[in-house]
Amino acid sequence: FYHLRWCPESLNHYIVSHAGEEQPCPPGALDSLKTAINVEYLVASACKVLPDDQDTLLASAVIKADGDYEDSYQWRVMLLEAHNYEIKARFESRIDTGDATTRVDSGMIWLDTARYHVADDNRAFGVRLASGDWPRYAQGGRDLFLTLFSGKPQHGQLVPLVDQLPLYVWQEISADYQANHFTREVAKGYINVLPTSSHGLHDLQLVYPTVIESYDGETTTRPNRRLTVTLKFNGSEYPFDDWKDVPGEGW
């Protein structure tokens, strides 16, 4: 879970804290995450044993490597042998922070091992990146980007099923920043696995309950509406339109 609260000092940033256990990485796992690259520094990391496979460690890291552009970082996700940290499967991508909507920091990774049983023999797992940022006077923002991976790697590669799904979305209703006041609609989403299927994998229902959040010296919230959309597997991924489908029609 995530608990979020607005920082009155900046109005457009929030503090993200993870409820529950920490997800530290043992040194051997960090060595595997950094293998084959000249590491300048490690920005963030997280590790967790898979609930249904105690011999497999899920690990992820955001790394600054020698030769990377100033605003470019490597993001790695791996399945490791839990005892010797040998790499079983991997995924690599990049994070660019050249615009005002993306950030990296030490607490940005959270490993999501909820019961995403997309098939009887396939329990998917997720990695959430708290990488969303926006200018002070932005009229909306997105964060907590979930990438959901198939529990069945192919040829040593992890296969993303859902790519960078924002689970935290907000839009401005009104604001007077000189008076230090704003009203926003905030949606914190989650995924339900449905009994229906498409191309061999269960359909996913995105659920976004929303609240109206106001700040005028102190923050108040009230429940608002519940938005839903269904994602169907097309044979290779669960596609969605980043602005049309998330968090749902009428947003």
Side-chain angles (χ1 to χ4, degrees):
F1 299 93
Y2 289 86
H3 295 302
L4 299 103
R5 63 178 176 85
W6 292 97
C7 300
E9 295 80 9
S10 62
L11 292 179
N12 65 308
H13 287 77
Y14 51 83
I15 295 173
V16 180
S17 62
H18 306 297
E21 66 195 279
E22 295 183 358
Q23 298 182 325
C25 285
L30 292 177
D31 290 341
S32 294
L33 285 166
K34 296 185 289 186
T35 187
I37 60 173
N38 295 318
V39 177
E40 184 175 338
Y41 59 91
L42 185 114
V43 179
S45 63
C47 291
K48 184 178 182 181
V49 174
L50 293 181
D52 289 350
D53 184 358
Q54 296 297 301
D55 293 325
T56 300
L57 184 73
L58 171 60
S60 182
V62 173
I63 297 167
K64 187 71 170 180
D66 291 339
D68 281 346
Y69 293 111
E70 180 181 357
D71 299 321
S72 181
Y73 301 80
Q74 297 194 27
W75 174 40
R76 289 186 161 189
V77 183
M78 293 183 179
L79 293 181
L80 306 174
E81 294 284 354
H83 306 293
N84 59 18
Y85 308 118
E86 289 187 2
I87 300 171
K88 303 169 70 172
R90 69 173 73 200
F91 169 84
E92 296 185 11
S93 185
R94 302 198 72 84
I95 299 174
D96 293 315
T97 60
D99 57 36
T101 63
T102 305
R103 75 180 190 280
V104 299
D105 59 42
S106 60
M108 66 183 296
I109 302 175
W110 184 254
L111 305 180
D112 183 350
T113 57
R115 295 181 176 88
Y116 297 120
H117 291 285
V118 294
D120 291 343
D121 61 347
N122 189 344
R123 177 172 175 169
F125 54 85
V127 180
R128 303 185 187 194
L129 296 180
S131 58
D133 203 358
W134 42 85
R136 177 178 175 85
Y137 299 111
Q139 295 180 329
R142 294 168 177 239
D143 204 350
L144 305 187
F145 297 95
L146 171 68
T147 297
L148 195 66
F149 294 93
S150 171
K152 302 177 71 173
Q154 297 180 7
H155 310 294
Q157 298 295 313
L158 295 174
V159 179
L161 299 176
V162 177
D163 186 23
Q164 296 289 299
L165 173 73
L167 293 179
Y168 183 89
V169 185
W170 69 271
Q171 63 179 349
E172 182 180 276
I173 298 174
S174 64
D176 184 344
Y177 290 104
Q178 289 186 339
N180 206 20
H181 170 77
F182 66 76
T183 300
R184 294 177 172 133
E185 184 176 17
V186 178
K188 302 176 184 179
Y190 59 89
I191 292 176
N192 287 330
V193 180
L194 300 177
T196 55
S197 297
S198 304
H199 295 92
L201 294 186
H202 286 292
D203 300 334
L204 303 179
Q205 182 189 51
L206 309 183
V207 183
Y208 288 86
T210 77
V211 299
I212 300 298
E213 182 177 88
S214 298
Y215 180 80
D216 190 7
E218 62 180 29
T219 300
T220 59
T221 61
R222 59 177 173 84
N224 190 36
R225 55 180 174 162
R226 183 176 182 267
L227 302 171
T228 62
V229 64
T230 299
L231 301 185
K232 295 180 178 293
F233 187 63
N234 65 5
S236 59
E237 64 177 348
Y238 291 88
F240 63 93
D241 186 313
D242 191 39
W243 294 102
K244 178 181 177 182
D245 297 334
V246 180
E249 284 192 43
W251 175 257

